[in-house]
Amino acid sequence: MSIRMKTEGYIDEQLFKVFKDPENLKKALMRSMIQTVGRSPDGAEVRDWFLALAHLLRFVLSERNVKTSGKSYAQDKRLVYYLSMEYLIGRSLKKVLIDLGVMDVTLRTLEDMGLDFEDLQSYEYDAALGNGGLGRLAACFLDSLFTHDYPGIGYGIRYEYGMFTQRIEEGQQLEQPENWLRYGNPWEVARPSVLYKVRLGGRNLCFRNASGEDSCQWVDAEEVMAMAFDVPVSGFGTETVGNLRLWSARSTREFDLNYFNQGNYIEAVRSKTISETLSKVLYPNDKSQDGQELRLKQEYFFVSASMQDILHRHLRTHDNLLNFAEKVAIQLNDTHPAMAVAELMRLLMDEHGMNFETAWGITRATFGYTNHTLLPEALETWPIDMLQAILPRHLEIIYQINDVFLREVRRSFPGDPSILSRVSLVDDATRRIRMAHLAVVGSNKVNGVAELHTQLLRDGLFADFARIWPEKFVNMTNGITPRRWLRQANPKLSELITEAIGPGWEKDLDRLHALAPFADDAFFQKRFQEIKLANKRLLAKEIAEHSHVTVDPNALFDTQVKRFHEYKRQLLNVLHVITRYNRIKDEPGRDILPRTVIFAGKAAPGYDMAKLIIRLVLDVAETINHDRAVGDRLKVVFIPDYKVSSAEIIIPGSELSEQISTAGTEASGTGNMKFALNGALTIGTMDGANIEIHDEVGDENIFIFGLDAPEAKALRGGAYDPWEYYNGNDELRRTLDMIRNGFFSPADPTRYKPLIDALLRGGDHFLLLADYADYIRCQEEVDQTYRDPAEWTRRAILNVANMGKFSSDRTIHEYARKIWNIQPLDM
């Protein structure tokens, strides 16, 4: 039973007021040390002081979160629930201090206490709730959502071990558990009373109900419990604090005493162990049948708990669910949560007694679906037999949805029977369910994440759906939060910007346009260059510490940091590195611009080709970095275990941003935006958001090379022969032969045969050889421009000045207006 009380008189911001005065803050930290950490301040270690400060801030956030939640309920505005399998939120300490506007007083207080803030912050683990751009985008969106006072909640999974910690041993990626919760998470609040049953397995029991209608129930299913953990998420410069609710799997039976008393201690905890694997690891390796089943169960566990919670929250303040779609918007962040469509239908029909038509009308008016990939293999499909065994009721509902949908299509396109098999939720040829199709059919809006991506969705991947519902497809170009990626990651540049154009740009990034006149100002250029050099020195220190390579901060820092995948073409970057190496070796006296090429990123545990590319990077680095004839003219670095906190050092210290995916493969990218916002120039293809960055900064302030999307499609569809490029370019042939013949792996000369075979015998699907020559030409243009520091700096400043479009604030405002139909809270 809950006791309802008014909270206004109890939330008086007293805790927040201690941050206004160093002496009061010092006393509050002492109390927090004793009361929350349980240590005497006299014997406390640096980690203890981090925990004391984090808990104190969490108390402030909790007060404001309760206040925000109260306003949301009282104002009864439509709110958005954001469903994402990933939230790459990074460290929270500095973000919260900046958001609350108490960074300066906290730094002074810690200094008075003999504590170093950077040392203290180092004891915070990055929250291991994501992997790459998808999770970082979700984190940026929550930041923007609450910065601009929109009502909403994020839902995800509380992964106990994240994806993995990347170690490099004997030149190879080694995956180890990412034990980020080893010392607890001071930002989260456990909610043992927020607990939902999630069912798996069992069978359908179908019958005619009292009204004579066909009805089905899900029976004989196993159960696992989903327990909530809440992480308050602050907005910048506002009292709004939203919530990220994460689900942790719990067994319905913690311990079987009968087995224990029989001496079978393993069986006594078997149920608990199996149940709790659902929230252990992000994206379990799905190369095996067991891995695929675990991934399906994990995704369903997430959406079932979230849907049950959303319905419960609605019914707290509304008498029924008939107005559910008027008050609730649910956004599916990619295809992983698509089963939410079938789960909401199940709950509305089986648990709340609605008929199919009413439930389907509510469901389609509630969901929005964001697609993040153009690669067909990345769009999830599930075997029908697997769904029958794990989610039999949902399979039945999907069949119902498909039947209704195909009848609509048949009526609308009577002369085109072939469209039915193309848009069907069921792939009869492979006996699989197409989850992206379920998301499209079950949503009122479907969006891509860049203008090119959305056009390719309309014209290619979802062309038939766009014929059926042309108004359903909209574009929402991705964005990044300037609070994290400029104000926090690059404080000196932020200070320079504020000094030049005044405050307020953090919440209105279009104000950066006012920087453009400073691009030719010699004094501003000098300060800009000094800040970049200081950031490069910090990055050089990071490289020395984690990669054990000494680099010269005066060299050009050329960076490609992202998830390793063949379409992102880290291998093309390596081909340029080897070409550059050969030129140095061939002409030792040649005036070649010194360059440090920096790689970072993880490969999925089951993605052998991506892991082999990482190994090649490391072998090439080993060879070049120890070649005395090369010296500081070329260094190659791989920074292991790439994450948000390392990105905050790498991105501000980089000068050239490698965004070189095959045109037509990258949905958007957000790393390109982060680098440009921090004054790096982009070398890239006309792919994803690169096109829009090109349009914003101007053709002369970006280095574009290679095929565009129509040209790439035409080349693949024609008689593309990689051997023609191999035989027609001496430098390319020499580079590939060095890799193939073991120059970089003398102890194992055939190590990279799969890479070369994929390029020459496997059709070079991602067109590396076709783009190689123009990539090399473009890199020469980079060298030439960098030799003119004033010109390079002018272009860098103009990149910063023209990044206003790429704020996640703009993206969230567009989602709010065009998809979610939500309004900010009256704070």
Side-chain angles (χ1 to χ4, degrees), residues 482 486 505 507-513 677 803-804 806-807:
L486 186 50
W505 55 267
K507 293 178 78 167
D508 181 6
L509 203 61
D510 281 333
R511 295 191 185 189
L512 290 187
H513 285 301
L677 184 61
M803 281 297 109
F806 303 103
S807 169

Side-chain angles (χ1 to χ4, degrees), residues 8 19 29 57 120 211 257 265 340 369 411 415 701:
E8 286 87 345
F19 282 90
L29 281 170
L57 288 165
L120 184 138
S211 304
L257 190 59
Y265 307 124
Y369 165 48
R411 285 195 300 269
N701 297 315

Side-chain angles (χ1 to χ4, degrees), residues 621-796:
E622 180 73 13
T623 300
I624 292 176
N625 295 342
H626 289 90
D627 191 329
R628 293 184 179 180
V630 175
D632 285 339
R633 287 183 288 177
L634 181 60
K635 295 287 187 181
V636 183
V637 174
F638 184 89
I639 301 175
D641 204 33
Y642 182 60
K643 51 191 177 233
V644 174
S645 56
S646 51
E648 291 171 0
I649 298 172
I650 294 170
I651 291 172
S654 297
E655 294 168 295
L656 185 67
S657 164
E658 298 270 355
Q659 309 296 332
I660 59 176
S661 55
T662 310
T665 60
E666 184 72 81
S668 169
T670 54
N672 44 11
M673 304 170 191
K674 294 162 194 163
F675 280 100
L677 184 61
N678 282 273
L681 301 189
T682 301
I683 181 170
T685 52
M686 291 295 269
D687 193 30
N690 289 356
I691 297 172
E692 291 164 74
I693 291 175
H694 167 272
D695 293 344
E696 293 296 309
V697 305
D699 186 64
E700 67 281 4
N701 297 315
I702 188 170
F703 300 101
I704 296 296
F705 74 93
L707 303 166
D708 62 20
E711 291 168 341
K713 183 179 179 180
L715 187 59
R716 279 206 198 99
Y720 175 51
D721 181 7
W723 286 101
E724 183 179 326
Y725 292 86
Y726 172 83
N727 291 319
N729 188 309
D730 292 341
E731 285 193 311
L732 173 60
R733 183 172 60 255
R734 179 183 179 186
T735 296
L736 293 177
D737 287 349
M738 289 171 71
I739 298 171
R740 176 169 53 189
N741 297 332
F743 183 89
F744 300 102
S745 54
D748 183 7
T750 62
R751 178 178 296 165
Y752 299 110
K753 185 177 183 298
L755 292 181
I756 301 302
D757 284 349
L759 294 177
L760 295 177
R761 303 181 191 281
D764 183 20
H765 181 71
F766 295 107
L767 307 177
L768 279 74
L769 306 194
D771 275 347
Y772 168 85
D774 202 34
Y775 181 50
I776 299 300
R777 175 205 59 77
C778 202
Q779 291 285 9
E780 292 169 353
E781 185 183 335
V782 168
D783 286 352
Q784 182 180 352
T785 307
Y786 194 77
R787 290 180 184 278
D788 183 345
E791 177 59 21
W792 184 277
T793 304
R794 187 187 72 83
R795 297 187 188 189

Side-chain angles (χ1 to χ4, degrees), residues 385-399:
D385 291 344
M386 186 183 293
L387 282 173
Q388 183 66 58
I390 297 173
L391 300 173
R393 180 66 180 121
H394 297 76
L395 181 60
E396 185 69 27
I397 290 170
I398 290 169
Y399 283 150

